[in-house]
Amino acid sequence: MSSTPPSPDRPRRLRTAAVIPAAGRGIRLGPGAPKALRVLGGTPMLIHAVRAMAASRAVSLVVVVAPPDGAPEVKHLLDEHALPERTDYLVVPGGDTRQESVGLGLDALPDDVSVVLVHDAARPLVPVDTVDAVVEAVRNGAPAVVPALPLADTVKEVEPAAVAGEPEPVLSTPVRARLRAVQTPQGFDRDTLVRAHAEVALDGEGATDDAGMVERLGKPVVVVPGHEEAFKVTRPLDLVLAEAVLARRRANDGF
């Protein structure tokens, strides 16, 4: 029996997918495995990131963009770990830059996906409430949404020194109340993000912020509250902090 077609009173439910670019090596964490495959609490960070996206009931598909020559390894990794059964998973080879990898992830999405999340594999502990808030804002009509936090520190714009370690002259002091530290997942209307990747030219290593690409199209980007536990694991000290957060979660919530 066929389902009732959508109508103005019963709009078609938007399907949401998450794209996780995980092709980088993360050299700031030192030599060894790619950053996304570093172990956190006995489990690779990538698995934590995939679980964080799949924890949202709004997300029905997670696309992991693997290192160009590492897709079979990443697929095997996902198969080895328990993941929510209600969510589908797909692994595709990535490109040389983050922008290329996100684009390849977009190319792999089924036609019925209308909302796309782009999430850093190096943000393994983002709470599900943050993911849901981003999805809801896109479903309510925002073409691009980013979770973000107010800054605790005053920020200075400087003229970068020609030699590392040299004093740098201050050019200005932005108003801190207007600044935000952006996190992921960033959420998008699919057509808007696809257009951004098609029309915004690669620059050097490419875009590291998909919302910035949408801004360059002249489209509005809105901010929803981020979370202090959605920090990016980039340096060894971040990994220590992530281990502490995970240990607290397991002790308090059985996470």
Side-chain angles (χ1 to χ4, degrees):
M1 182 171 58
S2 62
S3 60
T4 304
S7 68
D9 295 327
R10 287 178 8 96
R12 185 187 306 275
R13 183 171 177 81
L14 302 178
R15 189 178 183 207
T16 298
V19 174
I20 302 180
R25 295 210 60 84
I27 58 175
R28 281 177 288 182
L29 274 178
K35 179 164 55 178
L37 302 184
R38 298 296 177 93
V39 172
L40 172 61
T43 301
M45 282 201 297
L46 175 60
I47 299 299
H48 287 288
V50 170
R51 287 173 175 166
M53 296 299 98
S56 171
R57 292 188 174 275
V59 176
S60 60
L61 170 67
V62 177
V63 178
V64 177
V65 187
D69 58 351
E73 176 187 1
V74 172
K75 176 65 166 61
H76 179 69
L77 189 69
L78 264 62
D79 291 341
E80 282 187 324
H81 290 83
L83 300 170
E85 293 183 0
R86 67 174 181 271
T87 307
D88 295 327
Y89 305 92
L90 180 64
V91 178
V92 298
D96 294 331
T97 68
R98 183 185 186 281
Q99 184 172 343
E100 290 177 355
S101 292
V102 173
L104 290 167
L106 289 175
D107 290 344
L109 295 178
D111 291 340
D112 62 348
V113 170
S114 301
V115 177
V116 181
L117 305 179
V118 180
H119 183 57
D120 294 332
R123 296 185 190 271
L125 301 177
V126 57
V128 67
D129 288 350
T130 302
V131 181
D132 288 341
V134 172
V135 173
E136 182 179 7
V138 178
R139 288 182 171 179
N140 286 340
V145 180
V146 296
L149 293 175
L151 299 184
D153 299 318
T154 297
V155 176
K156 301 286 186 182
E157 182 185 3
V158 303
E159 182 65 42
V163 179
E166 289 291 318
E168 298 174 323
V170 171
L171 300 179
S172 67
T173 303
V175 178
R176 188 174 65 184
R178 299 183 64 183
L179 300 177
R180 298 291 183 271
V182 173
Q183 302 176 325
T184 69
Q186 298 182 356
F188 305 91
D189 166 74
R190 178 183 180 166
D191 291 342
T192 298
L193 186 57
V194 168
R195 180 186 162 200
H197 274 264
E199 296 184 14
V200 176
L202 289 169
D203 182 13
E205 294 185 356
T208 58
D209 174 61
D210 293 274
M213 297 172 64
V214 173
E215 289 175 45
R216 290 171 64 177
L217 292 179
K219 294 284 188 178
V221 177
V222 301
V223 169
V224 297
H227 196 281
E228 61 184 6
E229 293 182 0
F231 61 89
K232 191 172 186 178
V233 178
T234 302
R235 298 174 176 84
L237 184 60
D238 301 326
L239 194 56
V240 173
L241 179 58
E243 291 278 6
V245 170
L246 187 59
R248 179 192 57 76
R249 287 187 182 182
R250 286 174 171 169
N252 295 343
D253 309 321
F255 179 82

